[in-house]
Amino acid sequence: MKVTRLLAMAALAVTIGFSSCQQEEEITNKAEVSEQTLSQITAMGFNNQNVQKVEGGYIVEGDIFLGEKDLTTAYDQKAVRVGESEQYRTNNLVNVGSTSRTIRVAITTSLPSSYVTALDEAIRRFNAENLRIKFQRVSSNYEILFSKAPSGSSYLASAGFPSNGNPYNSVKVNSDYLGTNPGTNYLATILAHEAGHCIGFRHTDYMDRSYSCGGSYYNEGASTVGAVHIPGTPTGADPNSWMLACIGTGVNRPFNSNDRTALNYIY
């Protein structure tokens, strides 16, 4: 079974790499990364293995983009609970005001029409939960733009975490890899995952990516954006969450009961 790696970051952008069930098949970048850069990545709380150098920065942990400036910026790191398997958010969330907030999202014509359908399904999934945060697709004056990833990108999608009370403003999708019609529910799952990062969610398997991605135990680390446990979410493995780091090709992951608990607690 082919597995797709999903992931992301805030003010730092995120991406999704490619892998198979037990053995990664990521497209590698041959540009070497200096020891100083690897040390900076470690200091930020990220794994410094298999770091890819890309335009403007580096991709770590398969799908998180760190810009050159991010590596030298001082952050206020907060202590967090690291559990066995729980839902996590960052320290950065979207400000919804006193009642509610509608986040305007747009999609460029550089992506096939099937991606518009999938984005509408992702929006429907969020709005069906009757949260204080809503999504609306617009053609202009957007807050989040879904666009095509650059040709030759070694990730499936990229996003980021909120800053200054606003959602991360860009999701890039690798339609060259996914194809013109990868399946509405599968693609909607990927887009909803990236939108989850844009509003502040980390991976459900943050503490141990091995049970969704295969391979050995690995804890992502709190990083500079934090990994705050969401009360009411489980302490055991949750293999069906929409915010898992990896997903089998063609798999549909609508929100499960634990996802709903997390969404309702935050928004």
Side-chain angles (χ1 to χ4, degrees):
M1 177 186 69
K2 193 173 185 181
V3 170
T4 296
R5 176 165 299 176
L6 300 161
L7 304 166
M9 188 85 222
L12 321 171
V14 229
T15 64
I16 298 177
F18 314 138
S19 66
S20 63
C21 270
Q22 296 297 327
Q23 182 176 5
E24 293 186 0
E25 296 178 337
E26 293 186 358
I27 298 175
T28 58
N29 190 306
K30 295 183 179 180
E32 292 191 9
V33 181
S34 70
E35 288 298 325
Q36 179 182 1
T37 296
L38 294 176
S39 296
Q40 289 171 322
I41 290 170
T42 299
M44 292 183 69
F46 293 101
N47 185 353
N48 70 1
Q49 298 179 18
N50 301 316
V51 174
Q52 301 176 52
K53 185 165 181 17
V54 296
E55 183 178 358
Y58 304 88
I59 291 178
V60 303
E61 298 180 2
D63 80 332
I64 300 173
F65 174 81
L66 302 179
E68 296 280 4
K69 184 178 179 181
D70 298 317
L71 299 180
T72 57
T73 300
Y75 293 90
D76 176 22
Q77 300 200 47
K78 297 177 174 60
V80 296
R81 174 183 176 184
V82 178
E84 293 180 10
S85 177
E86 301 151 331
Q87 299 277 17
Y88 290 89
R89 66 171 175 86
T90 67
N91 298 322
N92 309 318
L93 297 175
V94 174
N95 183 355
V96 298
S98 59
T99 55
S100 64
R101 177 172 178 176
T102 297
I103 296 175
R104 302 178 305 278
V105 302
I107 185 168
T108 66
T109 56
S110 61
L111 290 171
S113 60
S114 61
Y115 286 57
V116 178
T117 302
L119 178 57
D120 285 343
E121 169 59 18
I123 290 172
R124 185 201 65 77
R125 293 182 185 189
F126 281 105
N127 292 347
E129 299 305 316
N130 295 315
L131 306 170
R132 290 190 302 140
I133 200 168
K134 308 288 184 184
F135 289 88
Q136 178 185 9
R137 184 163 64 83
V138 297
S139 58
S140 62
N141 194 29
Y142 54 82
E143 294 173 273
I144 302 174
L145 179 65
F146 288 73
S147 60
K148 185 180 184 298
S151 296
S153 295
S154 57
Y155 54 83
L156 289 183
S158 70
F161 294 140
S163 61
N164 300 317
N166 296 312
Y168 190 75
N169 63 5
S170 175
V171 174
K172 296 188 181 299
V173 187
N174 193 341
S175 56
D176 290 339
Y177 182 85
L178 287 166
T180 58
N181 190 16
T184 297
N185 287 328
Y186 169 55
L187 184 54
T189 298
I190 294 173
L191 301 184
H193 178 103
E194 296 307 319
H197 285 307
C198 289
I199 63 174
F201 282 87
R202 288 200 65 168
H203 297 122
T204 303
D205 51 350
Y206 144 86
M207 71 314 143
D208 180 8
R209 293 217 338 242
S210 66
Y211 79 79
S212 73
C213 300
S216 59
Y217 169 88
Y218 174 61
N219 186 312
E220 290 181 359
S223 88
T224 52
V225 298
V228 182
H229 169 235
I230 299 172
T233 58
T235 56
D238 186 6
N240 297 308
S241 172
W242 112 98
M243 288 307 296
L244 290 177
C246 296
I247 185 173
T249 299
V251 170
N252 177 29
R253 278 197 193 128
F255 303 134
N256 66 18
S257 59
N258 298 322
D259 294 333
R260 292 187 174 97
T261 295
L263 284 163
N264 278 277
Y265 184 87
I266 300 303
Y267 293 115

